[in-house]
Amino acid sequence: MPDSSPPPSPNSPWENGWTPDSSRAPGTRRLYLAGALAVTTIAACVTAIVVTDKQTDDTSHTKRADPSALPGADGPGLLSFASPSKQGTPTPDEHTSTSVKTPSATASAAAAENSSKPSAKTPSPSKSTSSHGSSSGSSGSSGSSGSSSSTAWKSIRSVNYPDRYWQVNGGLVKLNPVNSTAARRAATFKLVKGLAKSSCYSFATADGTYLRHRNFILRAERNDGSALFKQDATFCPRPSSTSGAVMLESVNYPGRFLRHQNFQLKLDRYQNSSQYRSDSAFRLVAGLN
């Protein structure tokens, strides 16, 4: 009769009388399986990372190598890099029209801007226009006018010494009485437009010299044609505090007026005193000669 007894349970080796396999530690197979699974997972992750990086590199290389991916490229090859961008930096014509202006364009723009703005009123020279108008009226009372000043012969009389006139004496201009024909001739001058400024006066003598200041002393000298001489020989009429009289200001030394001191005519800085105003006030009268 065959033996039908069940085989001993492997889970109960001692109870069933068989010796367990002690050649390996319990659970080693599970450790192997877990280790193999971990290694497989790591390998799969590394493979995925490598594949992803390679795809990224391939994509970037593809974009760099493809000229059509550049902004504004119109065709393949080198021509695409030489073609101007339609929406990139402006062309040279655009730079010229917007940022670099030619002189003619700048002048036109400036002219248009100036024409659109009301023109500022040009200031008149200091005291010249109004003073000249006043002095014209004053000299007009003594026979001098702007239209006839280029040909008028005048004598210049002192306000505070009415019996004395400008007179050339030894090359210098002094304030002297006129008691002879020679004295009257030396005290008569041709009133002309200013050599340096037409709205002012210059005084010429009968022998062709001009009255000019040098070292601030008034004297008669011949015109050497220099700009300095013309300025030294030009005097601008200014209104005086005395009715009918004028003060004569130097054109190249503003603030200095002709005055007499010790009966010598000189160019002196303005002083706010009655003595100075009297010494620098003169009347232009008809020529004595």
Side-chain angles (χ1 to χ4, degrees):
M1 184 172 180
D3 189 6
S4 59
S5 60
S9 173
N11 297 326
S12 304
W14 303 106
E15 289 84 352
N16 293 292
W18 56 276
T19 304
D21 186 6
S22 60
S23 61
R24 59 183 181 181
T28 303
R29 181 178 298 174
R30 296 177 182 176
L31 292 176
Y32 286 161
L33 292 176
L37 181 60
V39 171
T40 302
T41 303
I42 293 173
C45 292
V46 172
T47 303
I49 293 173
V50 171
V51 171
T52 303
D53 291 342
K54 184 176 181 181
Q55 290 178 351
T56 303
D57 292 340
D58 291 342
T59 303
S60 62
H61 282 300
T62 301
K63 290 182 178 180
R64 293 193 189 101
D66 185 9
S68 62
L70 295 175
D74 295 332
L78 295 177
L79 291 177
S80 63
F81 292 95
S83 301
S85 173
K86 295 180 179 180
Q87 296 180 352
T89 57
T91 62
D93 291 339
E94 292 173 349
H95 279 298
T96 302
S97 61
T98 56
S99 59
V100 180
K101 297 182 178 180
T102 60
S104 59
T106 304
S108 300
E113 183 179 358
N114 291 335
S115 61
S116 63
K117 295 180 179 180
S119 58
K121 185 177 180 181
T122 304
S124 58
S126 174
K127 300 183 181 179
S128 296
T129 304
S130 60
S131 301
H132 180 59
S134 300
S135 61
S136 297
S138 301
S139 58
S141 64
S142 58
S144 173
S145 63
S147 60
S148 61
S149 62
S150 59
T151 57
W153 289 89
K154 299 293 178 184
S155 292
I156 300 95
R157 186 174 65 191
S158 170
V159 166
N160 54 352
Y161 289 91
D163 61 334
R164 290 178 179 261
Y165 297 79
W166 289 12
Q167 184 184 117
V168 178
N169 188 351
L172 300 178
V173 182
K174 297 184 178 181
L175 198 64
N176 289 334
V178 289
N179 48 18
S180 66
T181 301
R184 288 193 294 271
R185 186 175 187 273
T188 303
F189 306 96
K190 186 177 182 179
L191 187 66
V192 298
K193 292 182 179 180
L195 298 180
K197 189 174 182 180
S198 60
S199 62
C200 299
Y201 296 153
S202 288
F203 301 92
T205 63
D207 57 359
T209 62
Y210 285 86
L211 304 187
R212 58 91 55 100
H213 68 83
R214 183 157 55 87
N215 297 328
F216 301 125
I217 301 299
L218 191 64
R219 63 193 74 215
E221 292 184 358
R222 295 207 172 268
N223 184 3
D224 60 8
S226 66
L228 178 60
F229 184 95
K230 293 177 181 179
Q231 293 176 353
D232 288 349
T234 303
F235 305 93
C236 298
R238 306 298 186 212
S240 170
S241 58
T242 302
S243 176
V246 295
M247 298 173 66
L248 295 168
E249 183 180 22
S250 169
V251 75
N252 56 346
Y253 285 90
R256 288 182 177 267
F257 296 81
L258 289 175
R259 68 168 297 185
H260 66 82
Q261 194 171 33
N262 296 327
F263 301 121
Q264 171 70 57
L265 270 296
K266 61 184 293 187
L267 199 63
D268 198 6
R269 187 178 299 278
Y270 178 80
Q271 302 169 21
N272 188 17
S273 67
S274 59
Q275 183 66 47
Y276 180 93
R277 287 190 291 271
S278 297
D279 289 348
S280 59
F282 302 98
R283 286 188 173 92
L284 276 63
V285 300
L288 299 178
N289 188 23

